C-alpha cells in the first residue's frame, strides 16, 4: 500500500471515531498509540483529570532536544442540526474529495503524519520527530495547554512545531489569540408586574453586552500601525445571551457567552480591566441595592495566545522550503500554535484542506491536498538524518 492509500485508509478509521468535544476521544487516541508504537515510536498517553479524554505525545528518533513536532487536535465540532448528505462519521469519497466530520479539521493531517511514521523511523537518526495529538482544541485548547505544562519541564522538548490546521497547504506565520468567556448573572426572581422588587438578570446582561459593544469600537483605535491581521484590531463577539423562563417572571439567571481575538496581549487586559470596573462600580451596586446576594461571575473557558510573526522562525523557513512557498500569511482563526510558541519553539501552521470547509455539513478534504501534505512530510523526513 502506498502512502496516499495508507493515509486514506487511516483517515477513514479516524473519521469513524465520533470525537465530538463533549465526548471521549480515548478510543481514537488508543488506536493512534498502537499504530505509532508499532512503527517504533515511544508513546505517552496523558489523560485529563476526569480520565475520559487524553493527549498523545510520541517520539521517533534520538532522545535529544531540538526535534520537530507535528501537532493536531483529535476533537471535532458537533454535527447536530446540520444537513449532511451522508453519515458524517463514515468517510465517503466523491470526485476527488473525502467527506466526513473532521476530514479537514484536522484528522486529514493526523492521518498523513501517522502514515509517515515508518519512514520517519528509518530516517530520524539525527533529529527526533514528535507527534502531539490533543483533546478539546475546539473548546479552548485545553489539551494543548495541559501538554505544554508537561513539555515545559523537559530538557528534550522540540524546537520546531508544525500545526497541521487546514490552510490549503499555505504557510501561516501568525494568527490572533482566542479568549473565550461565559459571564453568569444572578439576580432576584419575582412577578413581572413589580419589576422594581426584583433584579432582572437579563436586563443587566444586556447592559453588559452594550459595554462589550462599546469596547469593540474602542479597540479599533488600539490597533498597531503595522498589524498584519484582517481586521487589524482586536475583535469582540457575543455568541449567546440566555436567560428567563416566561413573559411575566423577572429572570433571576442569565448567561452571556462571548469571546475576543487579541492582536496584542495588552488588549485583553484592557478589556478585562474595563469590564471589572464596570461591574464593580456600576452594575453590582444597583443589583445589590435590591438583593445583597446578586452577583456577576465570569468563567474563563480558555485564554489561548496568538501566534506572533517572528523575524527568525526556523519552522517557517523549513515549511516554506518544503512546500515551495514564496511567503507566509496570517489568518483570523486560532490554533494551538501560540501555546507551543510560548514554550520557546518556532511555530508555523500548514495543513491540508480549507478552513472554509471546517465546521460545516459535508466537510471534506481534497485528495490532492493530502498528496501535497505527504510530499511536505516526506521532504521533512529527509532532514531528520542530519
Amino acid at each position: 500500500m502506498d502512502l496516499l492509500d495508507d493515509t486514506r485508509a487511516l483517515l477513514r478509521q479516524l473519521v469513524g471515531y465520533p470525537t465530538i468535544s463533549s465526548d471521549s476521544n480515548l478510543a481514537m487516541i488508543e488506536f493512534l498509540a498502537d499504530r505509532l508504537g508499532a512503527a517504533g515510536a515511544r508513546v505517552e498517553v496523558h489523560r485529563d483529570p476526569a480520565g475520559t479524554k487524553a493527549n498523545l505525545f510520541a517520539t521517533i528518533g534520538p532522545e535529544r532536544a531540538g526535534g520537530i513536532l507535528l501537532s493536531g487536535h483529535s476533537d471535532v465540532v458537533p454535527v447536530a442540526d446540520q444537513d449532511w448528505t451522508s453519515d458524517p462519521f463514515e468517510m465517503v469519497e466523491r470526485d476527488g474529495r473525502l467527506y466526513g466530520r473532521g476530514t479537514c479539521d484536522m484528522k486529514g493531517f493526523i492521518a498523513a503524519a501517522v502514515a509517515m511514521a515508518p519512514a520517519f523511523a528509518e530516517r530520524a537518526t539525527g533529529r527526533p520527530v514528535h507527534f502531539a495529538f490533543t483533546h478539546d482544541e475546539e473548546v479552548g485548547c485545553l489539551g494543548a495547554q495541559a501538554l505544554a505544562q508537561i513539555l515545559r519541564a523537559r530538557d528534550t522538548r522540540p524546537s520546531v512545531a508544525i500545526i497541521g490546521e487546514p490552510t490549503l497547504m499555505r504557510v501561516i506565520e501568525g494568527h490572533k489569540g482566542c479568549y473565550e468567556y461565559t459571564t453568569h448573572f444572578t439576580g432576584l426572581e419575582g412577578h413581572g408586574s413589580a419589576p422594581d422588587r426584583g433584579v432582572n438578570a437579563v436586563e443587566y446582561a444586556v447592559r453588559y453586552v452594550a459595554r462589550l459593544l462599546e469596547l469593540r469600537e474602542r479597540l479599533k483605535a488600539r490597533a498597531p500601525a503595522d498589524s498584519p491581521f484582517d481586521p487589524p484590531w482586536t475583535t469582540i463577539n457575543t455568541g449567546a445571551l440566555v436567560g428567563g423562563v416566561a413573559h411575566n417572571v423577572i429572570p433571576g439567571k442569565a448567561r452571556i457567552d462571548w469571546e475576543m481575538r487579541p492582536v496584542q496581549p495588552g488588549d485583553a487586559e484592557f478589556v478585562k480591566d474595563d469590564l471589572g470596573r464596570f461591574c464593580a462600580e456600576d452594575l453590582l451596586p444597583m443589583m445589590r441595592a435590591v438583593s445583597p446576594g446578586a452577583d456577576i461571575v465570569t468563567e474563563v473557558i480558555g485564554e489561548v495566545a496568538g501566534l506572533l510573526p517572528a523575524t527568525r522562525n526556523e519552522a517557517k523557513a523549513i515549511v516554506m522550503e518544503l512546500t515551495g512557498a514564496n511567503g507566509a500569511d496570517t489568518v483570523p482563526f486560532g490554533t494551538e500554535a501560540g501555546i507551543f510558541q510560548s514554550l520557546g519553539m518556532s511555530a508555523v501552521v500548514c495543513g491540508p484542506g480549507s478552513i472554509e470547509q471546517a465546521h460545516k455539513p459535508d466537510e471534506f478534504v481534497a485528495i490532492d491536498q493530502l498528496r501535497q501534505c505527504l510530499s511536505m512530510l516526506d521532504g521533512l523526513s529527509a532532514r531528520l538524518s542530519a
Side-chain angles (χ1 to χ4, degrees):
M1 182 180 292
D2 69 17
L3 277 174
L4 183 58
D5 287 341
D6 194 19
T7 301
R8 185 192 283 110
L10 268 170
L11 182 54
R12 182 180 300 278
Q13 291 173 287
L14 298 183
V15 169
Y17 293 104
T19 52
I20 296 169
S21 301
S22 58
D23 300 327
S24 175
N25 73 336
L26 290 181
M28 176 174 157
I29 291 296
E30 290 169 1
F31 167 77
L32 291 171
D34 289 344
R35 178 72 184 239
L36 287 170
R42 302 183 294 280
V43 179
E44 306 168 30
V45 174
H46 302 280
R47 295 201 180 199
D48 73 342
T52 60
K53 297 181 181 181
N55 293 325
L56 183 154
F57 185 78
T59 301
I60 291 175
E63 288 271 9
R64 51 156 289 193
I68 297 175
L69 177 71
L70 304 177
S71 171
H73 61 81
S74 64
D75 60 319
V76 297
V77 297
V79 298
D81 300 321
Q82 291 190 337
D83 187 18
W84 285 73
T85 59
S86 59
D87 184 340
F89 297 110
E90 183 175 336
M91 195 179 79
V92 174
E93 181 174 344
R94 294 194 303 268
D95 302 321
R97 297 172 174 176
L98 303 175
Y99 291 85
R101 175 54 86 223
T103 48
C104 79
D105 187 23
M106 56 182 300
K107 294 180 177 180
F109 177 79
I110 293 175
V114 173
M116 282 296 304
F120 290 144
E122 289 181 6
R123 300 171 183 172
T125 57
R127 189 174 191 179
V129 61
H130 308 274
F131 305 82
F133 303 142
T134 58
H135 65 84
D136 286 328
E137 187 271 350
E138 299 288 4
V139 291
C141 296
L142 306 183
Q145 293 187 76
L147 179 61
Q149 294 303 314
I150 295 172
L151 296 182
R152 184 171 281 113
R154 296 186 178 181
D155 296 330
T156 57
R157 62 176 173 267
S159 62
V160 168
I162 300 171
I163 294 83
E165 290 276 6
T167 68
L168 287 172
M169 295 303 296
R170 293 184 302 133
V171 181
I172 304 302
E173 64 174 342
H175 62 70
K176 298 180 182 181
C178 183
Y179 287 43
E180 296 181 332
Y181 305 94
T182 295
T183 302
H184 302 272
F185 296 79
T186 301
L188 178 65
E189 290 185 340
H191 198 285
S193 64
D196 292 343
R197 297 180 184 176
V199 178
N200 191 311
V202 168
E203 292 180 359
Y204 281 98
V206 168
R207 297 184 192 189
Y208 191 94
V209 170
R211 188 68 165 205
L212 289 175
L213 296 177
E214 291 177 20
L215 287 167
R216 187 164 71 183
E217 290 304 307
R218 289 161 62 186
L219 285 166
K220 293 179 181 180
R222 291 175 58 90
D226 58 349
S227 174
F229 300 107
D230 181 19
W233 50 78
T234 293
T235 59
I236 292 177
N237 179 64
T238 305
L241 195 166
V242 180
V245 295
H247 293 76
N248 60 351
V249 176
I250 300 170
K253 300 286 186 182
R255 185 192 86 229
I256 300 169
D257 297 332
W258 62 282
E259 64 151 34
M260 59 177 157
R261 304 278 174 138
V263 299
Q264 52 193 351
D267 284 355
E269 298 309 313
F270 168 75
V271 169
K272 291 191 288 184
D273 288 348
D274 183 276
L275 290 170
R277 288 192 302 271
F278 180 59
C279 290
E281 298 174 6
D282 296 317
L283 299 186
L284 284 171
M286 290 187 288
M287 297 169 72
R288 289 173 176 169
V290 178
S291 174
D295 207 359
I296 302 172
V297 177
T298 294
E299 174 189 3
V300 177
I301 305 303
E303 293 182 331
V304 181
L307 174 63
L308 301 177
T311 303
R312 299 180 63 183
N313 186 332
E314 184 187 4
K316 170 184 166 183
I318 289 173
V319 176
M320 284 181 60
E321 180 181 338
L322 294 176
T323 60
N326 295 319
D329 301 318
T330 63
V331 290
F333 61 87
T335 77
E336 297 170 335
I339 295 172
F340 297 117
Q341 187 181 57
S342 72
L343 295 175
M345 302 182 202
S346 67
V348 73
V349 184
C350 182
S354 168
I355 197 67
E356 295 300 319
Q357 306 305 323
H359 299 191
K360 294 181 180 179
D362 290 345
E363 176 184 346
F364 70 84
V365 64
I367 293 174
D368 185 60
Q369 285 282 300
L370 292 178
R371 185 179 291 109
Q372 291 179 47
C373 182
L374 287 167
S375 176
M376 176 188 76
L377 294 174
D378 186 55
L380 180 66
S381 71
R383 291 173 165 267
L384 300 175
S385 60

